[in-house]
């Protein structure tokens, strides 16, 4: 069972969430690849921002995904920072190149899920999660969320929704991922792996 955690992260928060989601999927017995998408921001802009520069160094060894690779996985989990209530342009650009997969129906029936990070509590978390799902629906994918059997959805006072895990990074983005957010990230990974296993059976 192969799962792809596909993410973009400018300052490292979504990257750290991606690793937690991957941990959850591995706990359920899945083989997990973590990959990122190509950067669109000019390097001089990245280098001028201290937090972005450090985050890019932290992610230096993460492989860059290619759109056609999506067909090789049993499930795909997407992580994106919020940009004005939607996925970031780097992730949008990547999915805009999947028309060939759409024409072939290559992703139909594959489980898909999403998580995101925002600078503020009301920075567009839920709209980003739901807007990302629209792309999954067009590909005929099966959306997996976080059920309320995950108690941290009720206890969290920071990030986390039934539509997917979220994190409030702050501005500047220095807030650590909370214990509740960690649990919700892992729960999503486990849930996607379990659904993928049932479908494969």
């Amino acid at each position: 069972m192969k799962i792809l955690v596909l993410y973009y992260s400018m300052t490292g928060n979504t990257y750290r969430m991606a690793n937690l989601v991957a941990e959850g999927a591995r706990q359920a017995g899945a083989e997990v690849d973590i990959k990122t998408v190509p950067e669109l921001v000019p390097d001089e802009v990245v280098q001028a921002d201290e937090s972005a520069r450090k985050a890019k160094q932290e992610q230096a060894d993460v492989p860059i995904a290619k759109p056609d690779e999506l067909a090789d996985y049993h499930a795909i989990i997407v992580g994106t920072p919020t940009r004005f209530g939607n996925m970031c342009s780097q992730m949008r650009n990547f999915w805009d190149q999947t028309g060939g997969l759409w024409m072939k129906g290559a992703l139909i029936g594959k489980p898909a899920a999403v998580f995101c990070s925002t600078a503020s509590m009301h920075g567009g978390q839920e709209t980003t999660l739901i807007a990302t799902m629209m792309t999954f629906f067009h590909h005929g994918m099966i959306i997996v969320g976080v059920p309320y059997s995950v108690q941290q959805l009720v206890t969290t006072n920071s990030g986390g929704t039934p539509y997917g895990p979220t994190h409030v990074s702050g501005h500047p983005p220095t807030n650590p991922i909370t214990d509740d957010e960690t649990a919700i990230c892992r729960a999503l990974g486990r849930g996607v792996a379990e659904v993928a296993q049932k479908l494969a059976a």
Side-chain angles (χ1 to χ4, degrees):
M1 183 64 54
K2 290 181 62 178
I3 292 177
L4 174 64
V5 178
L6 178 70
Y7 80 95
Y8 173 79
S9 186
M10 172 65 83
T11 58
N13 290 287
T14 311
Y15 167 64
R16 287 183 277 278
M17 292 179 76
N19 281 283
L20 293 169
V21 170
E23 283 179 19
R26 291 182 182 120
Q27 288 171 358
E31 176 186 341
V32 183
D33 289 338
I34 300 174
K35 295 186 179 184
T36 189
V37 296
E39 181 60 87
L40 301 178
V41 176
D43 188 60
E44 59 267 23
V45 175
V46 173
Q47 295 303 318
D49 183 304
E50 183 179 2
S51 60
R53 185 173 66 252
K54 289 180 178 178
K56 291 303 179 183
Q57 292 170 352
E58 183 182 8
Q59 302 169 64
D61 295 331
V62 178
I64 296 174
K66 297 178 181 178
D68 286 348
E69 295 174 345
L70 300 184
D72 299 333
Y73 292 91
H74 295 95
I76 299 162
I77 307 173
V78 169
T80 176
T82 290
R83 296 290 186 265
F84 304 106
N86 212 322
M87 71 171 75
C88 64
S89 59
Q90 291 86 352
M91 188 61 68
R92 181 72 266 160
N93 178 67
F94 183 90
W95 282 92
D96 283 348
Q97 298 175 61
T98 61
L101 295 175
W102 175 79
M103 290 288 289
K104 293 185 289 188
L107 305 184
I108 291 174
K110 292 181 186 288
V114 58
F115 59 95
C116 75
S117 177
T118 59
S120 62
M121 178 67 77
H122 303 291
Q125 296 169 334
E126 292 187 354
T127 58
T128 297
L129 297 172
I130 294 169
T132 302
M133 291 176 187
M134 297 303 107
T135 298
F136 300 158
F137 283 126
H138 278 264
H139 274 288
M141 304 178 84
I142 298 170
I143 309 300
V144 180
V146 182
Y148 273 94
S149 55
V150 179
Q151 290 297 308
Q152 288 82 2
L153 284 181
V154 178
T155 60
T156 183
N157 60 5
S158 54
T161 79
Y163 314 116
T166 62
H167 168 60
V168 181
S169 64
H171 187 74
T174 55
N175 293 343
I177 295 174
T178 69
D179 290 344
D180 282 348
E181 292 168 352
T182 294
I184 296 167
C185 284
R186 289 175 176 152
L188 181 73
R190 283 194 305 273
V192 170
E194 289 166 358
V195 169
Q197 289 163 356
K198 289 176 182 177
L199 289 171

